[in-house]
Amino acid sequence: QERVVYLVKHNNKIVDATGRSLNGRKPKWRRYGNSKHPFICGTSCAVFVVEDCPSACSVSVLVSGLSLMGTTLLDEHVEVIKQFKKVYIALDKDATSKAILMLKKLRNYVPTKLIVLNKDLKDMQIGERNEFIRRYID
């Protein structure tokens, strides 16, 4: 189908996958399963909550990246996010109102900060992105 596919794992087992079209074919994103588990990339105890898998991968050198695969925070996502020591919500600027609601919910469980993005994380150059992340992580 000419898609790059991201595997969603839970307890080291593949439970789902999502694929992005490489040729403009619709739909742009295709979900291959129906799990409600988020995509996670990285092993840090700090996590950036982002909208898509490429953004999650792009931050994973310095922090873990957790993709909601959209802008909706599910109860299943909250259970996973609660396992991290620090949470940074970094959704696209057009989803800021949803990010604020997420902040209000998640800060009840784990220290959480909101990061308003002017540029998508996956579109930043590596040095620019790493410098940006370092400004926020403690």
Side-chain angles (χ1 to χ4, degrees):
Q1 293 182 335
E2 295 186 47
R3 292 178 182 275
V4 60
V5 176
Y6 298 87
L7 302 176
V8 178
K9 295 182 179 183
H10 180 62
N11 294 329
N12 290 324
K13 293 184 180 181
I14 298 170
V15 295
D16 206 341
T18 186
R20 172 113 170 38
S21 174
L22 295 172
N23 61 7
R25 175 187 260 168
K26 302 286 183 187
K28 180 166 58 169
W29 285 96
R30 178 168 184 230
R31 192 75 181 256
Y32 292 94
N34 59 4
S35 88
K36 294 182 179 179
H37 199 76
F39 171 82
I40 301 171
C41 189
T43 58
S44 173
C45 60
V47 66
F48 268 48
V49 176
V50 297
E51 292 180 33
D52 58 60
C53 298
S55 293
C57 292
S58 75
V59 301
S60 67
V61 171
L62 297 174
V63 294
S64 293
L66 183 144
S67 170
L68 302 173
M69 294 178 273
T71 58
T72 302
L73 181 68
L74 304 175
D75 290 339
E76 292 82 0
H77 297 155
V78 174
E79 290 306 310
V80 173
I81 293 168
K82 284 169 33 176
Q83 297 172 23
F84 289 91
K85 293 190 189 242
K86 292 188 181 179
V87 177
Y88 303 87
I89 301 170
L91 304 185
D92 296 346
K93 198 170 192 171
D94 64 340
T96 300
S97 59
K98 284 189 172 188
I100 292 169
L101 294 174
M102 288 178 200
L103 171 71
K104 289 178 180 179
K105 185 170 191 168
L106 292 172
R107 70 180 175 193
N108 293 314
Y109 306 106
V110 62
T112 305
K113 292 182 182 178
L114 176 66
I115 299 172
V116 178
L117 299 175
N118 290 318
K119 185 176 182 181
D120 196 318
L121 290 163
K122 67 180 173 283
D123 295 333
M124 294 180 186
Q125 296 295 318
I126 293 170
E128 174 190 12
R129 181 175 48 247
N130 290 350
E131 182 180 319
F132 178 83
I133 293 168
R134 283 188 180 106
R135 272 189 262 149
Y136 289 97
I137 60 176
D138 302 328

